[in-house]
Amino acid sequence: MKKSDANIERRIEDTIVALDHIKKASPRPFLYARIKARMDSKKVMQESFYISPFLRYATICMIILMASINLLTASQFLGQSTIPESINSDLEELTKEYYSEVITIDNLENYLNE
Amino acid sequence: MDSLGDNNIISGLKKGDESSFQLLIELYQDKVYNTCLGFVRNESDADDLTQEVFIEVFLKINTFRGDASISTWLYRIAVNKSLEFIRKQKRKKRFGFLKSLFENEDMPDTSLKNNNHPGIQLEMKELAEILFEALDKLPVNQKTAFTLHKIEGLSYKEISKVMGKSNSSIESILHRAKVGLRKLLSEYYKNV
């Protein structure tokens, strides 16, 4: 092994053990008070409601369902005319059957004389 | 803390008892703080994350089934929160870089304020910085296992519980982490 290789090997060893005697640290004082303040400011109880997976998915499903129903209803209203096609054709047939002639101003006199 | 004491704390927390919550914080704050500090290496960020860990415990205590000990659960939350924080910081850094390219602005300082661990001895600071940089280049599971083992001093068994893996797989992960670190450090020292 070359001298430089041995040197690198030694430095690697020194680096790997650099964390061996690491000292434990402590958080800043009054951690509980700070956590409480943070929880109060964030209204954690409300958050827990929204975080609950069941409620979250149930709400999303409900919104999707309501939006789908709205869309379906809207598309039905937009798709149909004021008088449906079938009713229109029925009216025409009835008119033809009972009123064979169309009464206009021109033939009104003839119609009355008859 | 014995399991009986832990059980009392858990049942108290489930009832919404504030003194149980206070006791939990007093007992485990150092463990949680040091775990977070091991990952983010910044006192202020670690303090914030510690608070978030305990808030999550308070909110999710009803989902705690008791399969693992409360300390394992706390470690798990602390690790996840820390890794999530690092991911967010990296994302911010990338976004800041892109923004600075398009808007011709100076890049905001969103980098991880690394290597500011208060527990590292002064004469070891330089070496620790080199090691932390190499550690950040390892895959997440290797980095997690190495950090829990070296900084938090957890045994293989405890790490296996925190990471949800078998003892032998933790041994293998730690072995790969050490090999990876040696390789990265060797490249580093060859280029210096």
Side-chain angles (χ1 to χ4, degrees):
Chain A
M1 192 185 277
K2 286 183 208 167
K3 197 179 175 184
S4 64
D5 283 351
N7 190 28
I8 286 172
E9 202 56 35
R10 188 181 51 78
R11 289 168 89 176
I12 291 170
E13 285 301 325
D14 289 347
T15 311
I16 288 208
V17 297
L19 300 179
D20 278 3
H21 302 290
I22 198 163
K23 283 180 187 163
K24 298 281 177 199
S26 290
R28 284 187 289 134
F30 311 115
L31 183 66
Y32 173 71
R34 284 185 284 124
I35 289 172
K36 277 294 289 173
R38 193 162 167 175
M39 285 168 84
D40 290 342
S41 69
K42 280 189 171 182
K43 294 204 170 39
V44 172
M45 294 316 287
Q46 279 183 1
E47 271 188 9
S48 70
F49 170 82
Y50 293 114
I51 284 166
S52 159
F54 173 73
L55 283 172
R56 192 171 53 204
Y57 289 120
T59 313
I60 291 168
C61 288
M62 189 64 93
I63 290 167
I64 292 170
L65 191 74
M66 285 177 76
S68 315
I69 291 168
N70 276 344
L71 258 170
L72 211 72
T73 319
S75 67
Q76 274 181 348
F77 271 113
L78 288 172
Q80 71 184 30
S81 60
T82 34
I83 302 167
E85 199 70 29
S86 56
I87 297 174
N88 249 347
S89 60
D90 287 351
L91 273 174
E92 273 173 25
E93 273 181 29
L94 274 170
T95 319
K96 275 179 192 170
E97 203 172 334
Y98 293 100
Y99 306 100
S100 52
E101 282 182 51
V102 177
I103 304 161
T104 60
I105 299 290
D106 299 330
N107 61 12
L108 179 66
E109 208 173 319
N110 298 335
Y111 184 80
L112 288 172
N113 289 338
E114 279 175 16
Chain B
M1 187 76 191
D2 58 349
S3 61
L4 192 69
D6 279 351
N7 286 341
N8 285 340
I9 291 174
I10 294 160
S11 59
L13 274 174
K14 284 185 177 176
K15 286 175 200 156
D17 177 27
E18 286 200 12
S19 61
S20 299
F21 188 46
Q22 193 168 0
L23 187 60
L24 178 87
I25 292 170
E26 275 171 23
L27 286 170
Y28 292 103
Q29 58 179 348
D30 284 354
K31 278 186 179 184
V32 171
Y33 179 72
N34 280 289
T35 307
C36 296
L37 193 59
F39 284 93
V40 300
R41 294 158 220 150
N42 176 276
E43 287 173 276
S44 161
D45 292 337
D47 199 274
D48 263 4
L49 285 168
T50 306
Q51 290 182 37
E52 282 180 27
V53 169
F54 283 111
I55 291 173
E56 184 155 331
V57 167
F58 181 79
L59 292 173
K60 294 191 172 171
I61 191 67
N62 287 316
T63 65
F64 179 69
R65 295 189 304 266
D67 300 341
S69 67
I70 188 113
S71 117
T72 304
W73 192 46
L74 279 164
Y75 274 125
R76 212 175 280 168
I77 298 173
V79 169
N80 288 338
K81 287 262 173 210
S82 304
L83 293 175
E84 190 187 330
F85 174 83
I86 292 167
R87 269 197 298 272
K88 273 184 191 167
Q89 290 295 101
K90 281 183 182 167
R91 212 179 300 141
K92 268 189 199 171
K93 198 177 172 183
R94 275 199 295 271
F95 182 71
F97 175 69
L98 283 173
K99 209 177 160 190
S100 69
L101 279 179
F102 288 110
E103 295 180 2
N104 202 23
E105 281 176 4
D106 289 337
M107 209 172 114
D109 182 26
T110 53
S111 59
L112 283 171
K113 295 156 213 157
N114 277 356
N115 318 326
N116 190 14
H117 196 300
I120 296 168
Q121 292 161 335
L122 197 63
E123 63 270 23
M124 287 292 179
K125 285 242 183 234
E126 200 183 329
L127 289 177
E129 194 167 325
I130 295 164
L131 183 61
F132 280 140
E133 270 180 33
L135 197 56
D136 286 338
K137 289 176 186 159
L138 290 181
V140 175
N141 63 348
Q142 292 180 21
K143 183 183 167 179
T144 305
F146 190 87
T147 306
L148 289 173
H149 184 57
K150 280 277 178 180
I151 299 177
E152 198 44 37
L154 294 192
S155 66
Y156 286 11
K157 196 180 171 187
E158 285 169 312
I159 299 170
S160 72
K161 282 179 187 169
V162 173
M163 291 178 69
K165 291 181 188 292
S166 67
N167 255 10
S168 56
S169 85
I170 294 299
E171 274 178 40
S172 154
I173 287 170
L174 276 169
H175 174 71
R176 273 184 277 138
K178 281 171 193 169
V179 171
L181 278 176
R182 279 183 181 280
K183 198 179 164 192
L184 286 164
L185 290 172
S186 158
E187 279 165 18
Y188 173 82
Y189 283 122
K190 274 177 191 167
N191 294 325
V192 168

